[in-house]
């Protein structure tokens, strides 16, 4: 089953398919830089994924896009929430997710985060708390935790779009597989209700990395078969990739689902998956305006009002995002590098892109910006973060643009001594 159809729509939405007139109108009304999230596409992506995994529990990885509008759309579509921090847990609850629909899966959680999660679990016993280290198990016990417990396993195999996100082979994540049974027993001895196992290969898994994904699931299945605990679920993580480059094919979900099920043969537990990027990446674009054009030594540089503080993935991971000019006149095409306003050489949204010859005032759209875009935006260079508009019945401003006063608010409200 490939999931394509009237409900789920095409398996990939290319940047060229966004309506240029609509995007120009949004930029004119709300300014730039501007993130635009299409909630209909978010729901379609969820329907396609749920269709490929009909018997699985689908938890949205909140770190991909924690906007309340996105969380509520996915909650209403039937998804649960996977939260990697106390803040994400608070936002999931605020968005209306029931505690039984939430997994808290923090890595090396700070004390304040763990305190909050244990308090939530005490008030809402249906919450599932995942730990990936022996110390975290002991820290939970010290806080009197006695709720639903899941163990994160380190499979030693990773995959993803970058070594930076290939978490499955990073020892930071999870308990080694050969120690998992012992740690599960320790958790049970502390009075935890052992309900599940978890592992994750990485972020942005592609069709040519399915062997690695299956090896991760197989490792998790071996632990599940070995344990004497009655597991409710086996959580194989997410990381389902999307095609960022125009030439890339979409992920073969049917193949991913088949190989996942094959690896879990004879495991008597519900399959849980944690997609993030797959649900929201191609549902979002970033709009930015060209304010400076340089032609130097044969190079064409378009300076825009969005940069690495708005979308950090190109600078951090070397990630590719498609870029489209929304200029409505017919110009010759040039190789253009689109750069931002930050005082860093890495502040580049795209290099040597075939675009109409840029002019000041041109509007550019950056594709696949719905995942890890606004979530990773920062105030570096003391720049206010951008606004976000959601498209559903009509456009709605769901996050206002920050002001300079917002940038200094934490300092302005932190005074403990009288001004001199």
């Amino acid at each position: 089953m490939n999931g394509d159809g009237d409900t789920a729509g095409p398996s990939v939405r290319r940047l060229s398919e966004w309506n240029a007139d609509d995007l120009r109108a949004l930029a004119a009304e709300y300014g730039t830089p501007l993130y635009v999230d299409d909630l209909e596409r978010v729901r379609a992506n969820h329907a396609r994924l749920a269709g490929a995994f009909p018997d699985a529990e689908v938890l949205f990885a909140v770190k991909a896009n924690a906007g309340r509008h996105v969380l509520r759309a996915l909650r209403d579509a039937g998804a649960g929430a996977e939260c990697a921090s106390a803040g994400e847990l608070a936002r999931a609850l605020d968005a209306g997710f029931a505690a039984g629909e939430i997994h808290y899966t923090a890595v090396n959680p700070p004390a304040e985060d763990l305190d909050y999660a244990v308090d939530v679990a005490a008030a809402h016993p249906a919450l599932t708390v995942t730990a990936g280290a022996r110390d975290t198990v002991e820290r939970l016990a010290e806080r009197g935790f006695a709720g639903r417990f899941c163990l994160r396993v380190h499979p030693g195999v990773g995959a993803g779009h970058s070594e930076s996100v290939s978490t499955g082979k990073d020892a930071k994540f999870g308990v080694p597989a050969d120690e998992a049974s012992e740690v599960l027993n320790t958790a049970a001895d502390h009075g935890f209700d052992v309900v599940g196992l978890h592992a994750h290969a990485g972020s942005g898994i592609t069709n040519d990395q399915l062997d690695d994904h299956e090896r991760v699931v197989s490792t998790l299945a071996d632990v599940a078969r070995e344990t004497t605990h009655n597991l409710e679920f086996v959580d194989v993580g997410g990381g389902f990739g999307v095609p960022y480059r125009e030439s890339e094919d979409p992920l073969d979900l049917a193949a991913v689902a088949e190989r996942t099920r094959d690896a879990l043969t004879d495991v008597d537990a519900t399959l849980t998956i944690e997609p993030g990027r797959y649900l929201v990446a191609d549902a979002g674009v970033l709009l930015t305006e060209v304010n400076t054009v340089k032609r130097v030594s044969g190079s064409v540089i378009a300076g825009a009002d969005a940069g690495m503080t708005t979308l950090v993935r190109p600078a951090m991971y070397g990630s590719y995002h498609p870029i489209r000019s929304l200029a409505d006149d017919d110009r010759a095409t040039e190789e253009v590098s689109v750069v931002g306003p930050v005082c860093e050489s890495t502040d580049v949204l795209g290099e040597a892109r075939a675009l109409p010859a840029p002019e000041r005032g041109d509007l550019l759209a950056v594709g696949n910006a719905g995942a890890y875009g606004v979530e990773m935006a920062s105030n570096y260079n003391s720049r206010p973060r951008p606004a976000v508009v959601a498209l559903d019945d009509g456009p709605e401003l769901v996050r206002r643009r920050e002001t300079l006063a917002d940038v200094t608010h934490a300092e302005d409200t932190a005074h403990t001594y009288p001004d001199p």
Side-chain angles (χ1 to χ4, degrees):
M1 180 176 182
N2 63 20
D4 288 353
D6 292 339
T7 300
S11 54
V12 59
R13 183 183 192 182
R14 305 291 185 182
L15 180 57
S16 60
E17 295 167 7
W18 289 77
N19 184 282
D21 289 338
D22 291 344
L23 294 178
R24 283 192 289 264
L26 290 170
E29 182 172 357
Y30 299 103
T32 59
L34 179 69
Y35 276 101
V36 180
D37 291 329
D38 185 344
L39 298 184
E40 181 179 354
R41 181 62 186 177
V42 172
R43 287 188 287 265
N45 288 340
H46 175 268
R48 187 181 320 101
L49 194 68
F53 292 87
D55 299 321
E57 176 187 33
V58 179
L59 305 177
F60 172 58
V62 173
K63 60 180 170 287
N65 190 323
R68 187 183 290 119
H69 58 295
V70 170
L71 297 184
R72 287 179 174 172
L74 285 167
R75 177 204 65 192
D76 292 346
E82 181 267 319
C83 303
S85 69
E88 290 178 7
L89 177 54
R91 296 188 78 164
L93 292 169
D94 175 69
F97 286 96
E101 300 169 326
I102 301 173
H103 288 197
Y104 172 69
T105 58
V107 178
N108 306 327
E112 294 82 359
D113 279 36
L114 211 56
D115 291 342
Y116 177 77
V118 170
D119 287 346
V120 171
H124 305 280
L127 176 73
T128 298
V129 174
T130 300
R134 290 175 182 267
D135 271 2
T136 307
V137 172
E138 297 303 325
R139 294 169 69 204
L140 285 168
E142 290 166 2
R143 287 164 170 78
F145 176 77
R148 292 169 53 84
F149 176 79
C150 172
L151 180 67
R152 182 165 186 169
V153 176
H154 172 55
V157 178
H161 67 79
S162 163
E163 286 295 313
S164 302
V165 295
S166 186
T167 54
K169 59 183 177 183
D170 188 340
K172 173 181 177 179
F173 301 93
V175 172
D178 60 0
E179 300 176 18
S181 291
E182 179 186 349
V183 177
L184 286 170
N185 291 337
T186 299
D189 289 343
H190 282 308
F192 300 179
D193 180 15
V194 175
V195 294
L197 293 172
H198 174 278
H200 181 57
S203 183
I205 298 169
T206 56
N207 289 320
D208 59 356
Q209 295 174 324
L210 296 189
D211 287 346
D212 293 329
H213 170 74
E214 186 171 2
R215 288 169 63 193
V216 169
V217 180
S218 295
T219 299
L220 200 56
D222 289 342
V223 175
R225 296 185 189 102
E226 178 184 341
T227 185
T228 59
H229 300 282
N230 185 23
L231 301 177
E232 290 182 17
F233 65 86
V234 172
D235 187 337
V236 302
F240 306 126
V242 298
Y244 281 75
R245 294 181 182 272
E246 294 88 341
S247 59
E248 292 174 344
D249 293 327
L251 184 66
D252 186 347
L253 271 184
V256 178
E258 181 179 6
R259 296 183 69 164
T260 301
R261 286 190 288 265
D262 287 348
L264 290 172
T265 299
D266 299 330
V267 174
D268 185 17
T270 297
L271 168 64
T272 297
I273 57 175
E274 297 176 354
R277 179 191 316 274
Y278 188 89
L279 296 177
V280 294
D282 72 355
V285 296
L286 169 64
L287 302 180
T288 181
E289 182 176 308
V290 174
N291 55 45
T292 304
V293 178
K294 289 184 181 181
R295 288 177 169 81
V296 183
S297 302
S299 298
V300 183
I301 299 172
D305 59 7
M308 62 186 287
T309 57
T310 317
L311 178 66
V312 75
R313 296 188 70 255
M316 179 176 287
Y317 304 124
S319 299
Y320 178 97
H321 284 261
I323 299 176
R324 172 187 172 193
S325 174
L326 300 178
D328 58 3
D329 53 356
D330 192 13
R331 305 179 198 166
T333 298
E334 298 180 310
E335 281 199 349
V336 180
S337 291
V338 180
V339 303
V342 181
C343 294
E344 300 282 350
S345 295
T346 55
D347 183 34
V348 178
L349 295 178
E351 292 185 286
R353 302 298 180 83
L355 295 171
E359 298 178 3
R360 272 187 292 150
D362 283 353
L363 186 65
L364 304 177
V366 183
N368 280 344
Y372 306 104
V374 70
E375 285 305 305
M376 299 180 79
S378 76
N379 291 129
Y380 180 50
N381 272 186
S382 292
R383 296 192 180 279
R385 287 176 292 184
V388 181
V389 167
L391 305 179
D392 204 356
D393 294 332
E396 178 186 1
L397 182 68
V398 292
R399 177 172 177 157
R400 66 169 174 82
R401 188 176 311 283
E402 287 185 343
T403 65
L404 291 178
D406 291 323
V407 174
T408 59
H409 178 73
E411 295 170 67
D412 295 339
T413 56
H415 297 301
T416 56
Y417 300 99
D419 290 334

